[in-house]
Amino acid sequence: MMTAKVRLIVSALISFVFYFCWSYWANQMVSTDQALVLRSAMVQGSLSATITVVFTLVLEKSVARFAGIKISLLFVVPIICSVHSKSRENIAIFKAFNSALNTSAKFLSGNAIPGTLLAPLLPIFCQATIAIVINLLNQTPNLWLTVAPSIIMTAIYGYMYTFTLLTQQQKRSSLE
């Protein structure tokens, strides 16, 4: 069984090799400047390896923070505070809409989603922003084809890793 550090290093190496190759392929299709294509591949490979390490560490902290939190679906329902126009039609619409909101709120009040579903969102957003900005600064020729797989795979990895951490936590707590 691999330790957490070995898994992290192996993940970073796999990320570097995969995204180096992907970026090289994606950019050599649109540019004949081999130096730019190679630089873009190095940038994307290095960025992906670094972000894999940082993303995983931030995700572990985020999952630990949100692990016991439940978010009521009641707060997803918007609340209308006042009627803009006091016409009879607007007041009728307001009452009908409020009735629908109240019915929804009563139905959803007992339901909650785990806060850990939100845990990967901040790291995913940060990764996507960094990947796009760095590749823009690098003037990567085929920007979206270069970064889209990285963002999508990071999101998948983030949620899979989150559920793995939760499963491990549940196993540990059941053994105690």
Side-chain angles (χ1 to χ4, degrees):
M1 185 157 231
M2 287 196 291
T3 66
K5 285 183 182 179
V6 171
R7 276 195 315 267
L8 195 57
I9 291 168
V10 169
S11 295
L13 287 172
I14 290 170
S15 181
F16 175 84
V17 170
F18 178 81
Y19 287 109
F20 175 91
C21 294
W22 176 265
S23 179
Y24 188 86
W25 174 79
N27 290 298
Q28 61 97 20
M29 290 190 306
V30 295
S31 178
T32 57
D33 183 354
Q34 285 302 312
L36 177 61
V37 170
L38 186 57
R39 185 179 77 213
S40 295
M42 285 297 294
V43 165
Q44 187 60 33
S46 300
L47 176 66
S48 293
T50 303
I51 284 182
T52 296
V53 171
V54 173
F55 180 84
T56 302
L57 295 174
V58 170
L59 187 58
E60 285 183 9
K61 299 264 188 226
S62 187
V63 167
R65 167 107 169 87
F66 287 104
I69 296 174
K70 299 275 188 209
I71 299 167
S72 173
L73 294 175
L74 172 67
F75 294 110
V76 175
V77 179
I79 297 170
I80 296 178
C81 297
S82 66
V83 177
H84 175 67
S85 173
K86 301 292 183 186
S87 72
R88 193 172 22 154
E89 294 84 11
N90 283 353
I91 290 172
I93 291 170
F94 174 76
K95 285 181 179 178
F97 195 66
N98 252 358
S99 175
L101 288 176
N102 287 335
T103 303
S104 298
K106 285 176 189 170
F107 173 75
L108 297 172
S109 66
N111 299 317
I113 58 172
T116 50
L117 289 178
L118 302 176
L121 293 180
L122 180 61
I124 291 167
F125 176 76
C126 291
Q127 181 272 345
T129 302
I130 291 168
I132 292 167
V133 168
I134 287 179
N135 278 286
L136 279 171
L137 292 173
N138 183 56
Q139 298 176 346
T140 300
N142 205 347
L143 175 70
W144 294 111
L145 188 57
T146 300
V147 299
S150 173
I151 294 167
I152 292 166
M153 293 307 291
T154 296
I156 293 169
Y157 171 79
Y159 277 99
M160 287 176 58
Y161 195 82
T162 297
F163 292 121
T164 300
L165 288 175
L166 292 174
T167 303
Q168 288 175 352
Q169 286 176 359
Q170 288 174 347
K171 284 180 183 177
R172 273 188 250 131
S173 64
S174 69
L175 293 175
E176 296 173 350

